[in-house]
Amino acid sequence: MQGDGRGGAPLTCPNTNRRAPTGVEMDVQSLRAHWRSTLRCDCPHCDDVHDISVRDVYLNGAVDNLHRLMRA
């Protein structure tokens, strides 16, 4: 699992309902190993720290990619 603060799968801020990048990118093995883990992410929209499951981050990214493909 790695993160650089730019890009990666998104989180949805529970306070503003806006998307923000987590900076987290995973390969299949890391995703499988951390599937039930929770991430703590600094939110650029509300300046709070949110706990979000790896599972939710992955699913948010998959939905975003699907929307992007449907618009193309």
Side-chain angles (χ1 to χ4, degrees):
M1 187 163 52
Q2 63 181 354
D4 63 0
R6 298 172 289 148
L11 70 86
T12 300
C13 172
N15 299 323
T16 65
N17 207 35
R18 294 172 63 190
R19 292 282 179 109
T22 60
V24 174
E25 297 179 16
M26 292 188 195
D27 58 23
V28 175
Q29 291 84 5
S30 294
L31 182 61
R32 192 174 320 153
H34 296 284
W35 186 250
R36 294 176 189 240
S37 298
T38 301
L39 302 172
R40 297 201 73 153
C41 300
D42 294 323
C43 180
H45 300 300
C46 71
D47 294 325
D48 202 354
V49 176
H50 303 304
D51 293 334
I52 185 168
S53 71
V54 168
R55 175 176 57 251
D56 288 344
V57 170
Y58 174 79
L59 293 173
N60 285 342
V63 168
D64 283 356
N65 287 337
L66 181 60
H67 284 230
R68 204 172 297 119
L69 287 172
M70 291 173 63
R71 282 184 257 151

